[in-house]
Amino acid sequence: MPAGSEGLLLRSSKHLQDQTVDGVLSSHEGGQGREKGGQPRSPSSSPLAYGVLDIPPWYLCIFLGVQHFLTALGGLVAVPLILAKDLCLQHDPLTQSYLISTMFFVSGICTLLQVFLGVRLPILQGGTFAFVAPSVAMLSLPTWKCPTWTLNASLVNTSSPEFTEEWQKRIRELQGAIMVASCVQMLVGFSGLIGFLMRFIGPLTVAPTIALVALPLFDTAGSDAGIHWGIAATTVFLIVLFSQYLKSIAVPVPVYGREKKCHTSKFYLFQVFPVLMGLCISWLLCFVLTVTNALPSVPTAYGYLARTDTKGNVLNQAPWFRLPYPGQWGRPTISLAGVFGIIAGVISSVVESVGDYYACARLVGAPPPPKHAINRGIGIEGLGCLLAGAWGTGNGTTSFSENVGALGITRVGSRMVIVAAGCVLLLMGIFGKIGAAFATIPTPVIGGMFLVMFGVITAVGISNLQYVDMNSSRNLFVFGFSIYCGLAVPSWVNKNPEKVHTGILQLDQVIQVLLTTGMFVGGLLGFLLDNTIPGGQHGTDNRKEGERANI
């Protein structure tokens, strides 16, 4: 769950999912009440404009596929931009654009695999924030810290072999760790172990784990927003305005239907695209301030990176078409520290995805996914992570909660729409100028988006506590202690890395990566305490609570 873009914001208006939305899609009455082959649809899917097995008209599939792409855009773009600094790429927007394009392309492949071979629900695949914390922890080791000269834009020659090797050897290390860890996920999925493990993973394990995915990233969000707090605050204001205050306002749009031909229908524009609209308007504001020279032109001045011309040459340098391929950054390398860190992220990602499967099935009127479908879904996600590692996104893949939430708004649960979305992702990954455009987003605009996204991810994690009795002193202790240690322990280890010393370098690195990954520390403590302190629900009851959590 790359948690934090439009789909996560949709959860704040979850009550609308229980109402029939008179949107653009509801006007296509020819698709209602019928399944593929003209058979009547089951009563459970009657409120939907199109059910899981329905095939909307091709033009509607394309339109809705693009809509799903735009809904997932914030999460897809955010991960490469977060990793750029630790990969020594903060002054190389062209390479950032290549990473974004690769993320689009691999997400398209993984989406098609999940729909046809995995859980077979209309659920989009994309980058995961669960891998960000262990990736940053690994890249923070002394071996992988960026040289000081890469932090100075005036000293960086992005076309020099020396600089290229600096960032490529780091992403190759990430690739190897992700590919090995993905094998663990495939084993857990295809072997059926996930059903056994979920018996012991309840909300008191899930809540600190998901909350600590985003909490440690507050420094990244604050640093980017601090480039120009006025621009960042404007971005936050617009996203909050659209997602919270204007979410119930329907905008009339022209549509064409078989029954009514050309007419207008209502579309909840602000509710579906709050992050995208906020980004675009703030981006436009930065452009106006740049053209009028209202922003400083001196590189060392406050607010300089809010200018839109600081990365303007990226669009000219980027190729029109570029096909990402496996091994494009070289042969992956492997270290124990990276593998164990990413495995911690895999566990978090698996827990999130199981919750997304149940939420997706409920929203599209399908029965709860059986165990074998969940096993396939987790196994295919592991395969997706393997492909993401081979292609070199610097990240893995997981089910996108953003698009699960969008299903409840659009009332279109057709798998063919998600297939179209996967194809759109593939095309956007090949079209190099698209990735380059997103790499030019001004830094404070990105910072404002991060502030909202990370805040919502934290809230989504904590919301899992609704499934346990928080009047219980036991449960309060388990959650409070887990999340506090998940912040305190990584902070201490980062400040005192020399204290982690066993005499074996590889073991020291493994321990340091795990102890500086907050979600691992908090999730492990929550897991141990919840399953050992008397008075909790374990076994089947605990598993069911975890399954009901809309993570």
Side-chain angles (χ1 to χ4, degrees), residues 165-197:
E165 178 60 21
E166 281 296 334
W167 70 262
Q168 284 192 354
K169 67 182 181 182
R170 285 165 175 77
I171 198 167
R172 289 197 298 265
E173 187 73 8
L174 275 181
Q175 286 182 255
I178 291 168
M179 292 175 73
V180 175
S182 68
C183 296
V184 175
Q185 185 169 358
M186 285 191 286
L187 175 64
V188 169
F190 291 133
S191 68
L193 278 175
I194 183 62
F196 172 77
L197 294 176

Side-chain angles (χ1 to χ4, degrees), residues 236-372:
V236 171
F237 169 76
L238 290 171
I239 295 174
V240 173
L241 176 68
F242 297 145
S243 66
Q244 304 302 321
Y245 293 96
L246 302 181
K247 61 187 178 185
S248 299
I249 297 179
V251 179
V253 294
V255 295
Y256 179 85
R258 287 194 290 264
E259 297 292 332
K260 299 181 180 179
K261 303 300 180 182
C262 292
H263 63 286
T264 61
S265 188
K266 297 177 182 178
F267 181 57
Y268 290 88
L269 179 68
F270 301 114
Q271 191 175 39
V272 176
F273 301 129
V275 173
L276 180 65
M277 293 178 64
L279 283 179
C280 290
I281 295 175
S282 295
W283 201 348
L284 179 61
L285 174 62
C286 289
F287 175 75
V288 172
L289 294 177
T290 299
V291 172
T292 58
N293 284 321
L295 293 172
S297 57
V298 180
T300 57
Y302 174 80
Y304 171 74
L305 291 179
R307 297 181 64 94
T308 56
D309 57 2
T310 59
K311 306 175 184 177
N313 60 337
V314 176
L315 282 173
N316 295 326
Q317 295 175 351
W320 279 100
F321 299 99
R322 178 181 179 275
L323 182 64
Y325 57 91
Q328 58 185 329
W329 317 129
R331 187 172 63 182
T333 57
I334 300 173
S335 67
L336 281 177
V339 170
F340 277 92
I342 299 298
I343 286 176
V346 163
I347 296 171
S348 174
S349 176
V350 166
V351 174
E352 294 177 60
S353 293
V354 172
D356 287 333
Y357 296 162
Y358 281 88
C360 182
R362 184 173 64 250
L363 289 174
V364 300
K371 288 183 180 180
H372 61 81

Side-chain angles (χ1 to χ4, degrees), residues 512-537:
Q512 187 170 340
V513 168
L514 291 178
L515 293 184
T516 53
T517 304
M519 66 178 187
F520 170 77
V521 176
L524 178 63
L525 288 173
F527 174 79
L528 293 176
L529 294 174
D530 189 30
N531 284 279
T532 57
I533 297 178
Q537 288 183 322

Side-chain angles (χ1 to χ4, degrees), residues 198 201-211 351-352 461-462 464 523 546 549 551:
M198 288 305 294
I201 299 176
L204 287 175
T205 301
V206 175
T209 301
I210 304 304
V351 174
E352 294 177 60
I462 295 174
N464 287 280
I551 304 168

Side-chain angles (χ1 to χ4, degrees), residues 342-419:
I342 299 298
I343 286 176
V346 163
I347 296 171
S348 174
S349 176
V350 166
V351 174
E352 294 177 60
S353 293
V354 172
D356 287 333
Y357 296 162
Y358 281 88
C360 182
R362 184 173 64 250
L363 289 174
V364 300
K371 288 183 180 180
H372 61 81
I374 293 176
N375 293 338
R376 284 200 316 269
I378 297 301
I380 290 297
E381 285 193 17
L383 177 60
C385 288
L386 181 66
L387 297 178
W391 258 264
T393 65
N395 195 247
T397 183
T398 189
S399 298
F400 252 40
S401 301
E402 292 92 328
N403 297 79
V404 173
L407 294 173
I409 302 301
T410 63
R411 288 298 179 185
V412 175
S414 172
R415 289 187 299 202
M416 292 308 298
V417 169
I418 301 300
V419 170

Side-chain angles (χ1 to χ4, degrees), residues 493-510:
V493 175
N494 278 322
K495 294 176 181 177
N496 303 276
E498 72 283 353
K499 300 294 178 64
V500 180
H501 181 68
T502 64
I504 304 174
L505 178 61
Q506 291 81 1
L507 182 59
D508 290 345
Q509 291 179 338
V510 170

